[in-house]
Amino acid sequence: TPTTSDEPQPPTLGKELRNAIDHAHRLKEEGKIRYVMASTHSHVVGAALASAKLLPSSHPETPAFDALMLRYSMSHRNAAESLSFPKAMENNIPVLAFTTTRWNRLQSDPPPSTMMMDGFRPTTSECLKFALHHPAVEVVLHSARDEEELDEALLPLLSSSLATSKRTGWLSEEECEQWRVYGSDEARWNEDDAFDEYPEESM
């Protein structure tokens, strides 16, 4: 019986992109490049990229990409966790997460409705740890403006008190849930900064 769904469906990759993927993998086979990666702001597109296989003329069961760079943060989770991340994990494709601080707004300027207590905001390090806690994410990209910001972000991650496994030691499940609640009203966050270019994907 046919079924219908309002969930955005991954687009079909066009001929030009398919040809580019095939060409990139020829370069990889020749040893001229080591990895084939892609980046997108759309998690519908991210799901399609994560699902893509090499052209039938080469290796049809091999993922087209070795890694994907995708947006993810405590206030930009719904589309990632429902669309692109499951496909990436299904095909063993690591994710490099970016804009994990929402342009530093998570630490400094949340919507009033998200404040669970006076002054309750994450640090930069907690934003990075939150993204790394997701099993799809292997790398977090962070653009520090100066050495002070870099220290603020990285030194807590390097603390000897942290467990060696990022999956179990950097944030407890209680802390993760706390930050999920903090960023949960994605529509309200987006009203103020239009960060999400594809808000319909999060519905």
Side-chain angles (χ1 to χ4, degrees), residues 36-48:
V36 179
M37 303 168 63
S39 177
T40 178
H41 287 201
S42 165
H43 289 285
V44 170
V45 174

Side-chain angles (χ1 to χ4, degrees), residues 132-185:
L132 283 167
H133 191 81
H134 195 285
V137 177
E138 291 295 335
V139 174
V140 165
L141 302 179
H142 177 59
S143 179
R145 288 171 291 191
D146 51 39
E147 185 176 352
E148 182 178 352
E149 283 194 1
L150 191 63
D151 286 345
E152 178 189 355
L154 295 185
L155 289 181
L157 301 180
L158 302 176
S159 169
S160 59
S161 64
L162 294 173
T164 56
S165 170
K166 74 181 180 68
R167 304 297 183 213
T168 60
W170 283 6
L171 283 181
S172 67
E173 287 303 321
E174 291 77 13
E175 289 172 313
C176 277
E177 182 58 26
Q178 165 182 282
W179 298 126
R180 289 188 190 101
V181 171
Y182 177 78
S184 61
D185 192 351

Side-chain angles (χ1 to χ4, degrees), residues 33-181:
I33 61 175
R34 294 180 64 187
Y35 303 104
V36 179
M37 303 168 63
S39 177
T40 178
H41 287 201
S42 165
H43 289 285
V44 170
V45 174
L49 297 176
S51 301
K53 308 296 182 182
L54 294 189
L55 293 173
S57 59
S58 49
H59 309 288
E61 297 306 315
T62 302
F65 297 98
D66 298 305
L68 294 173
M69 190 168 79
L70 303 168
R71 280 182 156 188
Y72 185 64
S73 74
M74 55 186 70
S75 66
H76 184 76
R77 299 185 296 106
N78 292 342
E81 293 177 356
S82 64
L83 297 171
S84 59
F85 281 15
K87 292 296 182 182
M89 294 176 67
E90 178 183 325
N91 291 288
N92 297 313
I93 300 173
V95 170
L96 290 74
F98 70 108
T99 56
T100 55
T101 66
R102 198 185 186 101
W103 306 325
N104 286 326
R105 186 173 169 224
L106 287 171
Q107 314 97 295
S108 61
D109 187 28
S113 61
T114 68
M115 298 292 284
M116 291 185 285
M117 63 183 72
D118 185 36
F120 183 78
R121 300 169 186 178
T123 64
T124 299
S125 183
E126 285 168 329
C127 292
L128 304 185
K129 287 190 285 187
F130 180 88
L132 283 167
H133 191 81
H134 195 285
V137 177
E138 291 295 335
V139 174
V140 165
L141 302 179
H142 177 59
S143 179
R145 288 171 291 191
D146 51 39
E147 185 176 352
E148 182 178 352
E149 283 194 1
L150 191 63
D151 286 345
E152 178 189 355
L154 295 185
L155 289 181
L157 301 180
L158 302 176
S159 169
S160 59
S161 64
L162 294 173
T164 56
S165 170
K166 74 181 180 68
R167 304 297 183 213
T168 60
W170 283 6
L171 283 181
S172 67
E173 287 303 321
E174 291 77 13
E175 289 172 313
C176 277
E177 182 58 26
Q178 165 182 282
W179 298 126
R180 289 188 190 101
V181 171

